Amino acid sequence: MEKTYDPRAIEQTVYQEWETHGWFAASGEGDPYCIMLPPPNVTGTLHMGHAFQDTLMDTLIRYHRMCGDNTLWQGGTDHAGIATQMVVERQLAREGQSRHDLGRDAFLDKVWQWREHSGHQIQQQMRRLGTSIDWSRERFTMDDGLSEAVTEVFVQLFDEGLIYRGKRLVNWDPVLHTAVSDLEVLSEEEQGKLWHMRYPLADGSGHLVVATTRPETMLGDTAVAVNPEDERYRHLIGKEVELPLTGRRIPVIADDYVDPEFGSGCVKITPAHDFNDYAVGTRHDLPMINIFTIDAKINDEAPEAYRGLDRFEARERVIQDLDAQGLMERIDDHKLMVPRGDRSGAVIEPFLTDQWYVKAGPLAEPAIQAVEDGRIRFVPENWNKTYFEWMRNIEDWCISRQIWWGHRIPAWYDDAGNIYVARSEEEARSKYGLGSDVTLTRDPDVLDTWFSSALWPFSTLGWPEKTPELKTFYPTSVLVTGFDIIFFWVARMIMMGLKFMDDVPFREVYVTGLIRDAEGQKMSKSKGNVLDPIDLIDGITLDDLLAKRTQGLMQPQMEKRIAKATKKQFPDGIPAFGTDALRFTLAALASSGRDIKFDLGRIEGYRNFCNKLWNAARYVLMNTEGQDTGVNGGEVELSLADRWITSRLQVTIAEVHRQLGEYRFDLAARALYEFTWHDYCDWYLELCKPVLTGEDSSEAARRGTRQTLVQVLETLLRLMHPIMPFITEAIWRQVAPLAGREGATIMHQPYPQVDESARDAQADKEIEWVKNFILGMRRIRAEMDISPGKPLPVLLHNWQPEDQTRFQSSRAFIEFLGKPESVQWLHGEEPPESAMALVGEMHLLIPLAGLIDKEAEIARLEKEVAKVQKNLTQCRGRLENPSFVDRAPAEVVEKERTRVAEMSASLRELEGQLEKIRRL
């Protein structure tokens, strides 16, 4: 083995070998276990959320593969309609062209070319993460098979009356000229205005005041609403007001939607441009006047003075005109949530337009039932509530998009506007009895990307064909996903799976938390706090990191602030940590559904963990290669330490199985870390040295220890492999032959199972006693500043006969690691002034006289006491200052209190030691 652990020398070579040999494919034997990769956008690059979820999925996949299950990780990418079309349209714009210059077919050819050349970046990045997806089965939501599935589902749902075309309000992006889903709308707080406008009563008896953040929409008002219980306005219900600037009269209506406590208690109703108003308008059968064109300019439904103006120009003109007529009551500064398209950055407009919809109610009922009766289980269970809340208030799903890239809607129109839905134009003519004299035109819209994603669990396995894979792997085992797409994806997969497969798409849904930065902030490009997983694996210089974080900002004014924060957090850039350290960090942070603060301190610690494992393996190989490890037989004698580490291994194996079964990746990682670092490396590798180097050791004892060294390490590597695949593969190939194991790769080795016969409670107790003895001596050395190599006289007081027995049986370990100069068992006599440690009930004493320079030690301790006292006084002063306690963030105050408690404890300890030394 190389002297130092270098992930770069291992990872990519090993991965290439895994993939080339086809080792990620399902075995065809054992119980089926399948995970569907949530398909990343074809335009996407790997972010921390992907890295987090991919690590957890790969851990489960590798674990089940090693447990002997017929394991499939089905991968693929999403065609990402809007995002991909924008990428290609930008390319065309640089060449001075638009998609309209090319025409639909030629433009789509360009998109396919882009996908072929550039649409595979995220898959390569996922390979860097070690994901063992069966790449030979990779799917794409626009491939022929998935496109056929989409068409089949659309036609069947339409024929059953579950898909229809209707005019309703949608989120409209006026730059992209398409409807968008709620998930593609980012609402952020912005500073704006609240305009209070007077609407004169038609009978001339006064006016009503209404308030709005979008004055231009008043041109489309069709009512003013008041609460029916509001005494101030009850007499006006049924009367009319003059709608300023329009020459129209609109009614005053009563509706419980209006909050009489908010503003004036009167609300302008614009059904065609506000979702709440649309609901009111529908209840009262109000006219729906759409005043905008598709690019949010004022259309011919509005008065002539405003036609053709952009909505924001119209806003200024409306405000001026109202003011000129004395109809502007007042203008307030007002913070409001502004919805913007996540792709275009344009303010989203509620817009009345013809779209295709899925009738969600009938599909939702069985999907609710499936979670209620336990056929699907959410982990953690609290996400059930979120799911039920949405499903029980579900609205029809708008599935059409006004773009070109995507699955084109299989509907045709004749000249009279009649709709014919079929798998092809030929089938439409046959199905509806249309002759060749009837001209048919295909609907230009495409389906929402989420429509094809909803079919992912069964379409990727070959549906509508009845394939062997579909029969074997559906329903899949678990879905690993974020909470933000429970509505958009998870619920829709459940609805579609139950509808078309008559079974749930997965048995469990493991909902992960969100990866946040070290301060707990959400990672976003606009905040400049994004961490790229590949940068954590390979490292990145400060200059390159600054360039990456500040280029292409939507708010260029943020550049200086982002640069300053980045320089402070990463003054030397980010060092290379390697994939295994990143994966172990993500697993260790994956507590049950909670958001995760990611800071470099953790990954640095786990990079050290990788080094520790590597160095331990080198030590083992140095002591076993070319030596007799019992592979070919021979008498074996196991020491107390051999029996203990084998017993501890069984406890660890059981714990890892249990925690992975409950999706507690954090607790599985902790069990592996504690066994590897503390039990195996810190203790066992030291405890085995007296046997390997002792002159009195028999050959059978040496053989037993060498055998234990390699067998425990080899088992540990298999136990760790699902979380840390690369380093375990590299070490295992060297260690396996010494442990008598054969095979080309660790990933196809059996996952360790508990051997109950190897549990040894007696050995556990004995070694615990030995550890306490040695740790007691080490603690006294540290407290008294005594050199670790200096032999110490040990007095034992208050002991029992079993303590003597234990000492005799483990004397070699204690003498090798504790280095006692002598050991004296006291029989009731009063011990001299000593430092003491407890080993069970027994007192381990080290006389202080002659061991230390009394005056020098008193001076050192007095200096230390003074330093702690000074810091403690400062901290207490801050906590006694009311302005600090009241104004500082709660976590800062709590941190200060914790420091006071810790320093108080340190001070008591130091003063106790000082008193002890003075008594010498």
Side-chain angles (χ1 to χ4, degrees):
M1 279 177 73
E2 292 295 326
K3 190 172 180 183
T4 53
Y5 164 59
D6 180 8
R8 279 171 288 205
I10 300 168
E11 292 176 356
Q12 295 194 57
T13 313
V14 166
Y15 193 91
Q16 214 165 10
E17 192 181 338
W18 286 337
E19 189 177 348
T20 307
H21 282 85
W23 287 337
F24 300 151
S27 65
E29 296 172 4
D31 294 332
Y33 184 86
C34 179
I35 295 179
M36 290 283 157
L37 174 77
N41 285 351
V42 68
T43 54
T45 53
L46 196 74
H47 57 59
M48 288 299 284
H50 289 132
F52 180 42
Q53 291 181 359
D54 290 354
T55 294
L56 305 186
M57 283 184 273
D58 195 48
T59 297
L60 292 170
I61 286 291
R62 288 177 182 272
Y63 169 71
H64 281 275
R65 189 184 286 129
M66 293 177 79
C67 285
D69 292 335
N70 184 17
T71 305
L72 171 66
W73 191 2
Q74 176 63 56
T77 48
D78 189 285
H79 65 277
I82 294 173
T84 307
Q85 180 157 319
M86 281 184 71
V87 168
V88 179
E89 285 200 77
R90 282 190 194 126
Q91 283 184 354
L92 288 174
R94 286 195 287 273
E95 299 162 15
Q97 287 185 300
S98 78
R99 64 183 160 116
H100 301 286
D101 297 329
L102 268 66
R104 187 167 190 141
D105 290 344
F107 175 74
L108 292 178
D109 287 343
K110 281 271 187 195
V111 181
W112 280 107
Q113 286 168 25
W114 174 86
R115 192 248 171 181
E116 205 49 48
H117 292 114
S118 309
H120 300 283
Q121 186 180 359
I122 197 161
Q123 294 97 315
Q124 296 309 319
Q125 292 174 323
M126 287 172 72
R127 286 172 167 91
R128 293 296 315 278
L129 201 64
T131 52
S132 56
I133 288 168
D134 184 355
W135 296 107
S136 69
R137 290 188 45 81
E138 187 184 3
R139 302 303 299 266
F140 179 49
T141 47
M142 285 285 284
D143 69 29
D144 291 343
L146 269 61
S147 296
E148 184 193 345
V150 166
T151 301
E152 188 62 36
V153 165
F154 188 98
V155 172
Q156 285 191 38
L157 290 177
F158 179 84
D159 288 347
E160 291 181 41
L162 292 171
I163 280 182
Y164 65 92
R165 186 164 170 78
K167 189 182 280 288
R168 297 180 59 175
L169 212 56
V170 296
N171 293 312
W172 185 263
D173 190 312
V175 170
L176 300 179
H177 294 174
T178 182
V180 292
S181 73
D182 290 346
L183 198 63
E184 293 157 316
V185 179
L186 302 176
S187 293
E188 290 194 353
E189 193 174 69
E190 296 183 18
Q191 186 62 49
K193 304 277 186 192
L194 187 63
W195 287 270
H196 299 260
M197 307 179 297
R198 296 174 184 155
Y199 284 10
L201 291 160
D203 62 8
S205 62
H207 62 258
L208 297 178
V209 175
V210 296
T212 181
T213 57
R214 299 154 67 217
E216 66 282 5
T217 63
M218 58 100 41
L219 301 172
D221 284 2
T222 56
V224 172
V226 297
N227 191 288
E229 303 303 317
D230 194 332
E231 294 289 345
R232 294 170 296 173
Y233 304 117
R234 192 180 282 174
H235 66 289
L236 296 176
I237 295 167
K239 295 196 173 181
E240 290 185 322
V241 296
E242 298 279 358
L243 183 61
L245 314 180
T246 66
R248 288 193 290 115
R249 286 186 173 186
I250 58 175
V252 178
I253 61 170
D255 198 284
D256 291 331
Y257 157 68
V258 180
D259 178 0
E261 302 297 317
F262 184 77
S264 67
C266 300
V267 177
K268 63 188 280 301
I269 302 298
T270 320
H273 296 292
D274 180 278
F275 287 100
N276 291 319
D277 292 3
Y278 178 80
V280 174
T282 304
R283 282 197 292 276
H284 294 271
D285 200 21
L286 295 174
M288 308 236 172
I289 302 174
N290 174 22
I291 61 163
F292 290 131
T293 63
I294 60 169
D295 42 11
K297 289 183 176 173
I298 304 298
N299 67 16
D300 291 349
E301 292 289 332
E304 197 171 342
Y306 306 101
R307 291 174 192 169
L309 292 178
D310 173 78
R311 56 186 161 163
F312 299 118
E313 292 171 343
R315 177 177 297 179
E316 294 306 315
R317 182 78 62 86
V318 164
I319 292 165
Q320 287 168 18
D321 292 350
L322 287 170
D323 202 32
Q325 294 183 25
L327 296 175
M328 186 61 72
E329 174 94 358
R330 71 176 194 276
I331 303 169
D332 297 335
D333 286 331
H334 181 70
K335 281 190 175 170
L336 69 157
M337 299 302 287
V338 177
R340 292 182 180 274
D342 68 341
R343 300 291 172 188
S344 65
V347 175
I348 294 297
E349 201 61 59
F351 191 62
L352 194 62
T353 177
D354 288 309
Q355 300 288 344
W356 288 90
Y357 291 88
V358 171
K359 199 178 284 182
L363 297 170
E365 277 308 312
I368 292 168
Q369 185 67 41
V371 177
E372 282 179 336
D373 64 23
R375 279 175 289 156
I376 294 175
R377 182 172 80 99
F378 277 88
V379 182
E381 267 188 35
N382 59 294
W383 290 111
N384 282 9
K385 290 179 193 165
T386 307
Y387 174 79
F388 289 137
E389 193 176 321
W390 188 70
M391 293 296 276
R392 286 172 181 147
N393 296 288
I394 197 166
E395 294 186 3
D396 289 355
W397 170 20
C398 175
I399 54 171
S400 45
R401 298 291 180 266
Q402 290 65 53
I403 57 175
W404 287 354
W405 172 244
H407 298 102
R408 195 163 175 183
I409 288 173
W412 285 261
Y413 303 91
D414 62 17
D415 292 340
N418 296 308
I419 300 172
Y420 307 103
V421 168
R423 292 163 188 80
S424 64
E425 184 178 338
E426 292 72 32
E427 186 184 272
R429 290 184 183 280
S430 162
K431 181 176 174 182
Y432 295 98
L434 304 172
S436 56
D437 57 323
V438 178
T439 304
L440 292 181
T441 306
R442 189 166 184 178
D443 193 309
D445 289 356
V446 300
L447 285 161
D448 175 14
T449 304
W450 292 103
F451 190 85
S452 49
S453 301
L455 320 182
W456 189 251
F458 53 91
S459 64
T460 51
L461 296 173
W463 189 92
E465 302 299 320
K466 290 180 176 164
T467 62
E469 291 86 355
L470 193 61
K471 187 179 178 185
T472 303
F473 294 110
Y474 191 95
T476 66
S477 307
V478 62
L479 178 75
V480 177
T481 187
F483 63 86
D484 52 340
I485 53 173
I486 288 175
F487 318 138
F488 295 96
W489 191 43
V490 180
R492 288 165 182 170
M493 282 191 287
I494 296 171
M495 290 191 285
M496 292 300 191
L498 287 164
K499 175 68 180 168
F500 291 95
M501 292 295 298
D502 201 27
D503 203 349
V504 295
F506 25 73
R507 302 292 186 204
E508 293 178 308
V509 181
Y510 174 67
V511 182
T512 65
L514 197 67
I515 296 272
R516 297 179 177 273
D517 71 8
E519 272 72 54
Q521 296 289 315
K522 188 174 178 179
M523 290 190 188
S524 73
K525 172 78 177 162
S526 61
K527 287 183 182 145
N529 63 347
V530 171
L531 282 173
D532 182 337
I534 304 300
D535 292 341
L536 293 168
I537 292 169
D538 292 340
I540 186 171
T541 65
L542 177 61
D543 288 345
D544 287 345
L545 184 60
L546 286 169
K548 194 179 240 189
R549 286 184 159 195
T550 55
Q551 276 172 5
L553 289 172
M554 285 179 81
Q555 297 172 286
Q557 69 272 20
M558 293 289 290
E559 184 175 336
K560 282 186 180 174
R561 188 189 298 178
I562 289 167
K564 185 181 176 185
T566 302
K567 285 174 185 173
K568 184 182 176 186
Q569 197 174 0
F570 309 106
D572 304 311
I574 296 173
F577 294 110
T579 299
D580 287 318
L582 173 60
R583 285 176 59 123
F584 200 88
T585 306
L586 293 168
L589 290 169
S591 58
S592 191
R594 297 197 191 113
D595 284 358
I596 288 151
K597 287 184 185 178
F598 190 94
D599 71 271
L600 287 197
R602 292 294 293 262
I603 192 170
E604 206 170 311
Y606 293 127
R607 165 68 203 242
N608 295 340
F609 180 55
C610 291
N611 287 335
K612 185 101 168 172
L613 179 64
W614 187 266
N615 292 335
R618 286 187 72 245
Y619 172 81
V620 171
L621 289 169
M622 277 163 41
N623 283 281
T624 55
E625 276 186 313
Q627 306 271 345
D628 182 357
T629 58
V631 172
N632 300 315
E635 189 190 345
V636 166
E637 184 185 313
L638 297 179
S639 72
L640 173 63
D642 296 335
R643 290 181 3 247
W644 167 75
I645 197 65
T646 307
S647 178
R648 286 290 306 138
L649 179 62
Q650 308 317 308
V651 173
T652 307
I653 292 169
E655 181 70 357
V656 173
H657 274 289
R658 186 166 74 86
Q659 300 301 352
L660 288 180
E662 295 174 4
Y663 302 107
R664 289 305 303 265
F665 300 91
D666 55 333
L667 300 181
R670 182 197 292 174
L672 289 166
Y673 181 91
E674 288 180 352
F675 177 81
T676 306
W677 191 290
H678 301 301
D679 293 345
Y680 190 72
C681 295
D682 282 358
W683 283 106
Y684 180 65
L685 295 189
E686 294 300 317
L687 291 169
C688 72
K689 287 175 183 175
V691 179
L692 295 175
T693 59
E695 292 176 9
D696 301 337
S697 302
S698 67
E699 187 49 44
R702 287 198 181 98
R703 186 182 293 115
T705 293
R706 284 195 291 262
Q707 184 184 74
T708 306
L709 270 172
V710 293
Q711 284 187 349
V712 171
L713 177 58
E714 190 275 336
T715 306
L716 176 59
L717 293 169
R718 285 185 283 127
L719 200 60
M720 295 177 83
H721 176 75
I723 299 179
M724 299 210 299
F726 291 113
I727 191 170
T728 51
E729 179 77 87
I731 298 173
W732 183 84
R733 291 180 183 184
Q734 304 247 23
V735 170
L738 299 170
R741 283 213 168 262
E742 295 177 354
T745 174
I746 190 173
M747 73 163 67
H748 288 165
Q749 295 296 311
Y751 201 70
Q753 301 297 323
V754 175
D755 177 359
E756 291 297 339
S757 68
R759 288 188 188 258
D760 191 330
Q762 191 57 37
D764 292 346
K765 284 181 188 167
E766 299 287 326
I767 288 292
E768 200 53 37
W769 187 91
V770 172
K771 283 163 70 177
N772 285 336
F773 197 109
I774 293 164
L775 287 171
M777 291 187 69
R778 286 176 179 172
R779 185 172 62 75
I780 291 168
R781 276 196 168 93
E783 285 176 359
M784 297 300 161
D785 205 23
I786 300 167
S787 161
K790 184 180 174 76
L792 297 178
V794 173
L795 305 177
L796 298 173
H797 183 58
N798 197 39
W799 48 271
Q800 300 296 323
E802 59 262 31
D803 291 316
Q804 278 196 324
T805 307
R806 282 173 170 164
F807 180 81
Q808 292 308 324
S809 65
S810 53
R811 185 171 200 142
F813 300 137
I814 291 169
E815 288 180 346
F816 185 84
L817 295 175
K819 297 185 176 59
E821 180 184 69
S822 59
V823 176
Q824 184 182 344
W825 300 81
L826 301 180
H827 294 269
E829 60 267 41
E830 192 62 34
E833 192 63 50
S834 305
M836 184 185 84
L838 284 174
V839 182
E841 298 292 314
M842 180 174 77
H843 298 177
L844 186 155
L845 306 168
I846 294 179
L848 296 174
L851 277 180
I852 55 173
D853 180 333
K854 180 178 173 180
E855 297 309 318
E857 185 63 8
I858 287 172
R860 184 186 75 80
L861 286 169
E862 283 176 340
K863 189 177 175 184
E864 196 66 28
V865 165
K867 181 179 161 188
V868 173
Q869 276 174 334
K870 183 184 174 186
N871 290 337
L872 187 56
T873 304
Q874 287 174 344
C875 280
R876 279 181 175 152
R878 276 195 287 276
L879 287 173
E880 285 161 9
N881 179 352
S883 65
F884 170 77
V885 175
D886 294 341
R887 291 179 190 171
E891 61 268 24
V892 173
V893 175
E894 191 52 43
K895 204 172 180 182
E896 207 68 15
R897 288 192 175 119
T898 304
R899 283 189 68 206
V900 165
E902 287 169 351
M903 285 191 284
S904 300
S906 296
L907 188 62
R908 284 193 297 274
E909 206 170 294
L910 287 165
E911 286 171 338
Q913 282 184 42
L914 188 56
E915 187 55 37
K916 197 178 280 185
I917 301 297
R918 282 183 176 138
R919 286 203 303 266
L920 287 178

